[in-house]
Amino acid sequence: MPAVHKLLLEEALQDSPQTRSLLSVFEEDAGTLTDYTNQLLQSMQRVYGAQSEMGLATEQLSRQLLEYEKQNFALGKGDEEVISTLQQFAKTVVELNTLHSELASQMADRMIFPMIQFREKDLTEISTLREVFGIASDEHEAAMVKYSRLPKKKENEKVKAELVGEVAYSRRKQHQASMQYYCALNALQYRKRVAMLEPMLGYTQAQIHFYKKGMDLVSKKMDSFLVSVSSMTQSIQAQLDSEAEAMRVTQRELLSMEDTVYMPDRDPVPVNRTLIQKAGYLNIRNKTGLVTTAWDRLYFFTQGGNLMCQPRGAVAGGMVLDLDNSSVMAVECEDRRYCFQITSPSGKTSMTLQAESKKEYEEWICTLNNISRQIYLTDNPEAVAIRLNQTAIQAVTPITSFERRGEGSPNPDRAKPGGVQSSISASQKSSSTPEPEDLIVPGTPIQFDIMLPASEFQDQNRVGGRRTNPFGETDDDCSPESDDSLLQQVFAVRFLGSMAVRSGQTQEVIYEAMRQVLAARAIHNIFRTTESHLMVTSSCLRLIDPRTQVTRISFQLQEVTQFAAHQENGRLMGFVVEGRDWSEGTEEGEPSFSAFVFESNTEGEKICYTISLGKDIIEAKKDPEALAQLMKNMPLTNDGKFLLLDSETGDTANGGAADEEESEA
């Protein structure tokens, strides 16, 4: 090793400027060494801190690896091999943690401690001796100043002796301090080399010891284990590459489709009317205030007989409505398209939904109607839905205009009201439930619009012409001028359809007519209806246009042979009217029957009760005493009419505009 620079102790007493200049060089070197030592120690402490943190981190890592088994992964089935591998890794990490902790301890003893000792012992000693040397030099300079001021003429031996002693003492003190200071600076030139090498020697030896133990651990205990883990990861990576390539191919195929796939209301797939399950996004109308509403887009799906809803981010859906025996109708909602309404059998709960496209709109209505019939409870609901759809298509021919009822009918005579002769008399009926063919001839056409346009009625009223009813009846007997009935009740209804039937003496024919009318509307997408007012009096039934107050059709109450409300959907009701068929040429004509089906805003039983009361009044009129007894038992209004129910029609009864609605069919 090359020689080091020294301060000569012999020159300490003389304290020449050359010696002072050389001393300043040694002091500068010591200051630089002190700064560097602090920075080096800081770096070593950072390494030690990182190694200590490594020990803590590996300990936490081992605990976290063991926690994998306790995680409740939703898709964690089949992870047994991964769990066992991670447990083995956890054991290895624990052993590595022991090695890391040992390495951190060795770093503290063999790297950090020597450097701290060098800084606190050697460098601090240099700093202290420098201060002592500075004080001694100042005292010597002060003593020399006093001694130099001794007077030349008046010498005082006593003062001179004191000053000489003081100079000698301060010079000796400075000499001793300077020699100690010089010795420390000279020794520092050797100690700094040892101080720089010893910590790094300890650090390197600790690392070598750590790596040797780590190699022993890995080579002796983990060679076969690491080979198996490597093979497993390569196999998984190969599966991932294969799956990624398959997904890329699928993605290219899906992206190569036409843009119509992304466009709403452009679905080329035909409507499926035999579904018993449906899922998709719908907009639901929610009431936000007294008169304000808001639409929310939610995911709806059917489950059994329930309509379910699942908001975004929700884990599972919740039931919104029980669909059994509920009614589904298309409606007009503000300025939105494809809206429909679901109403519970009681009529107390309803909701309005909007579909994205016409296809979704029709499929939702058909699916909900299929579910409301409880088809899903059968053994093979899909087959039942297909069979009902095919049967309804074969058995029902929809006619959207009364003037074309005879076109396409297997028997044109059946197109006329009353044109079907009853083939089964009351005496020939069996006690069992009649078959549908015994009630309605298969292929009988259905009429869906019972009224003419309102403008045509207005034109007839302006010219004073007499309106001819499309069914051939006249309203002479039921005109408001001649109506002196005691009963007058108005109901808001929507006409669904009418058809000729074979019998008018049983309620089963009404139920069968309801089934065929609703099936025909669902199959042929005829949802729209127009609201009318059904006025029940003690002499007749009148269907009134709420906008013009013109009677669209009327029936004598005596001609109504049967009336009934639907057994499950209480908002549906119907009645059978008896007429005469003059096509046979007989003098009195043959009896014929026609069934009319309506949907009301209230319970159909109330309408049936009112009709029954009207027929009771007709019978009571034949006997004054019976009429008086009936009037005595029933509450009357101020004008002498029977008081039954509050008006359901609201302002529309006074000529208000009736909005077109769409029915559940």
Side-chain angles (χ1 to χ4, degrees):
M1 180 175 289
V4 298
H5 299 283
K6 296 181 181 181
L7 287 170
L8 298 178
L9 299 180
E10 293 80 2
E11 298 178 356
L13 179 60
Q14 186 177 0
D15 195 21
S16 64
Q18 292 79 7
T19 304
R20 285 277 184 164
S21 177
L22 182 60
L23 178 62
S24 64
V25 174
F26 275 76
E27 290 177 344
E28 182 181 357
D29 184 77
T32 303
L33 179 61
T34 301
D35 294 338
Y36 175 77
T37 302
N38 290 331
Q39 296 175 4
L40 181 61
L41 179 60
Q42 185 178 2
S43 299
M44 291 180 176
Q45 288 175 338
R46 185 174 180 183
V47 172
Y48 170 74
Q51 185 59 43
S52 300
E53 179 63 26
M54 175 64 75
L56 298 175
T58 51
E59 182 181 359
Q60 183 180 4
L61 175 61
S62 64
R63 291 198 302 266
Q64 201 64 35
L65 291 175
L66 296 175
E67 288 293 324
Y68 183 86
E69 183 181 7
K70 303 177 183 178
Q71 303 303 311
N72 187 19
F73 291 106
L75 303 177
K77 187 177 181 181
D79 283 351
E80 292 79 8
E81 188 174 3
V82 176
I83 292 174
S84 61
T85 304
L86 291 179
Q87 289 176 347
Q88 182 63 31
F89 271 121
K91 295 179 181 178
T92 303
V93 171
V94 170
E95 296 178 0
L96 290 175
N97 176 48
T98 303
L99 296 180
H100 282 293
S101 300
E102 184 179 351
L103 176 60
S105 177
Q106 291 180 358
M107 284 184 179
D109 295 338
R110 305 175 66 177
M111 180 179 69
I112 301 298
F113 178 72
M115 183 59 65
I116 293 178
Q117 190 177 27
F118 170 71
R119 185 186 68 174
E120 299 298 330
K121 181 180 179 181
D122 297 331
L123 295 180
T124 303
E125 182 184 8
I126 294 294
S127 177
T128 303
L129 291 175
R130 181 179 180 181
E131 292 179 0
V132 172
F133 175 72
I135 294 172
S137 297
D138 293 341
E139 291 179 353
H140 178 257
E141 288 295 329
M144 289 302 298
V145 170
K146 290 181 181 180
Y147 179 77
S148 300
R149 291 177 180 177
L150 284 174
K152 180 178 179 181
K153 295 180 180 181
K154 296 180 180 181
E155 288 187 357
N156 188 337
E157 293 298 330
K158 183 179 180 180
V159 173
K160 182 179 179 180
E162 291 178 358
L163 290 177
V164 170
E166 183 178 353
V167 169
Y169 173 77
S170 62
R171 183 170 292 178
R172 184 182 299 108
K173 184 177 180 181
Q174 180 191 16
H175 188 211
Q176 292 176 354
S178 62
M179 285 192 297
Q180 291 179 356
Y181 188 33
Y182 289 176
C183 291
L185 289 175
N186 290 336
L188 183 62
Q189 300 304 311
Y190 295 94
R191 290 175 180 172
K192 73 176 181 181
R193 299 183 182 184
V194 176
M196 297 299 107
L197 299 178
E198 185 179 6
M200 294 310 302
L201 178 63
Y203 170 77
T204 305
Q205 291 176 345
Q207 290 284 4
I208 293 174
H209 179 73
F210 170 77
Y211 288 128
K212 283 184 177 180
K213 284 195 172 183
M215 288 299 297
D216 294 340
L217 173 66
V218 173
S219 60
K220 294 180 180 179
K221 297 183 180 180
M222 298 189 64
D223 281 346
S224 60
F225 171 70
L226 294 178
V227 170
S228 63
V229 174
S230 178
S231 301
M232 183 174 64
T233 54
Q234 291 176 1
S235 174
I236 296 174
Q237 184 64 39
Q239 296 177 5
L240 173 61
D241 295 340
S242 176
E243 183 66 22
E245 181 62 26
M247 288 189 291
R248 281 193 293 268
V249 172
T250 304
Q251 184 178 7
R252 287 195 296 267
E253 292 177 354
L254 294 176
L255 292 177
S256 63
M257 295 186 297
E258 298 180 358
D259 292 340
T260 55
V261 176
Y262 304 100
M263 299 179 183
D265 214 8
R266 295 289 182 89
D267 197 342
V269 181
V271 178
N272 187 355
R273 298 184 175 86
T274 61
L275 297 175
I276 57 172
Q277 289 183 341
K278 184 69 176 174
Y281 281 97
L282 296 172
N283 293 328
I284 182 172
R285 185 172 67 178
N286 295 319
K287 192 173 182 181
T288 58
L290 294 177
V291 294
T292 58
T293 58
W295 293 83
D296 296 324
R297 188 169 183 263
L298 301 175
Y299 187 81
F300 288 85
F301 61 95
T302 60
Q303 189 175 57
N306 301 322
L307 179 64
M308 314 291 287
C309 174
Q310 184 173 356
R312 289 181 181 271
V315 178
M319 191 183 79
V320 178
L321 189 66
D322 185 359
L323 296 175
D324 289 347
N325 303 320
S326 62
S327 63
V328 186
M329 66 180 72
V331 294
E332 293 289 341
C333 294
E334 303 165 1
D335 59 346
R336 291 178 176 254
R337 304 180 300 167
Y338 310 135
C339 296
F340 58 95
Q341 187 179 69
I342 309 174
T343 307
S344 62
S346 63
K348 297 180 180 179
T349 304
S350 65
M351 64 174 56
T352 302
L353 303 170
Q354 180 192 20
E356 294 181 356
S357 63
K358 185 177 181 181
K359 174 180 176 293
E360 290 291 309
Y361 161 78
E362 295 179 3
E363 283 190 350
W364 270 106
I365 292 179
C366 295
T367 303
L368 297 178
N369 273 318
N370 290 338
I371 295 176
S372 68
R373 300 174 187 172
Q374 299 182 353
I375 296 177
Y376 65 92
L377 297 177
T378 59
D379 295 335
N380 192 351
E382 292 83 1
V384 173
I386 295 174
R387 185 170 65 253
L388 289 177
N389 183 65
Q390 293 176 347
T391 303
I393 292 177
Q394 297 172 358
V396 182
T397 303
I399 302 296
T400 58
S401 177
F402 178 79
E403 287 76 13
R404 298 196 299 271
R405 282 191 67 174
E407 299 178 8
S409 173
N411 187 353
D413 292 338
R414 300 189 189 279
K416 303 176 183 179
V420 179
Q421 182 178 359
S422 177
S423 60
I424 303 178
S425 62
S427 60
Q428 294 175 332
K429 292 182 181 178
S430 62
S431 59
S432 61
T433 303
E435 296 295 330
E437 294 79 4
D438 299 333
L439 302 175
I440 301 175
V441 177
T444 300
I446 299 175
Q447 177 180 334
F448 294 120
D449 54 346
I450 197 170
M451 71 295 293
L452 294 174
S455 59
E456 185 174 338
F457 285 112
Q458 293 172 348
D459 294 339
Q460 291 176 353
N461 291 340
R462 281 197 295 270
V463 300
R466 179 179 180 184
R467 182 179 66 84
T468 302
N469 192 287
F471 284 85
E473 297 89 352
T474 63
D475 55 354
D476 293 342
D477 297 333
C478 294
S479 61
E481 293 82 358
S482 61
D483 190 3
D484 58 349
S485 62
L486 297 174
L487 174 65
Q488 189 176 86
Q489 187 70 20
V490 179
F491 300 92
V493 297
R494 288 176 293 279
F495 176 71
L496 300 181
S498 64
M499 60 191 308
V501 297
R502 282 181 166 177
S503 172
Q505 306 302 324
T506 175
Q507 292 183 350
E508 296 298 330
V509 70
I510 299 178
Y511 302 145
E512 180 62 22
M514 290 179 180
R515 187 192 68 80
Q516 293 197 18
V517 167
L518 295 179
R521 281 183 168 271
I523 292 170
H524 299 282
N525 299 328
I526 304 175
F527 301 120
R528 191 176 301 278
T529 60
T530 303
E531 184 173 291
S532 303
H533 292 169
L534 179 64
M535 178 180 288
V536 181
T537 69
S538 59
S539 59
C540 65
L541 301 178
R542 296 167 55 194
L543 197 65
I544 302 173
D545 187 339
R547 291 177 293 181
T548 62
Q549 296 301 304
V550 174
T551 300
R552 291 168 173 164
I553 189 172
S554 64
F555 303 101
Q556 291 294 319
L557 205 57
Q558 295 176 344
E559 297 174 353
V560 179
T561 60
Q562 283 292 335
F563 48 89
H566 196 277
Q567 294 173 320
E568 297 176 348
N569 187 351
R571 298 175 63 184
L572 296 179
M573 65 84 55
F575 55 81
V576 178
V577 177
E578 181 179 0
R580 293 292 169 177
D581 184 6
W582 307 94
S583 60
E584 302 295 334
T586 57
E587 182 176 355
E588 296 183 355
E590 295 294 331
S592 63
F593 302 94
S594 298
F596 295 82
V597 180
F598 294 87
E599 181 183 40
S600 64
N601 289 346
T602 182
E603 297 180 6
E605 290 291 346
K606 295 181 179 180
I607 302 177
C608 294
Y609 171 74
T610 308
I611 296 175
S612 175
L613 181 59
K615 297 180 74 70
D616 292 341
I617 294 175
I618 293 176
E619 294 298 326
K621 284 182 178 180
K622 300 177 182 179
D623 185 359
E625 295 182 0
L627 179 60
Q629 184 64 29
L630 180 63
M631 295 178 64
K632 181 179 180 181
N633 295 333
M634 294 297 297
L636 302 177
T637 61
N638 295 331
D639 56 357
K641 293 183 173 59
F642 284 95
L643 177 62
L644 296 177
L645 302 167
D646 295 335
S647 176
E648 303 173 7
T649 59
D651 297 337
T652 58
N654 298 325
D659 295 334
E660 285 193 351
E661 299 183 3
E662 298 187 2
S663 175
E664 64 179 34

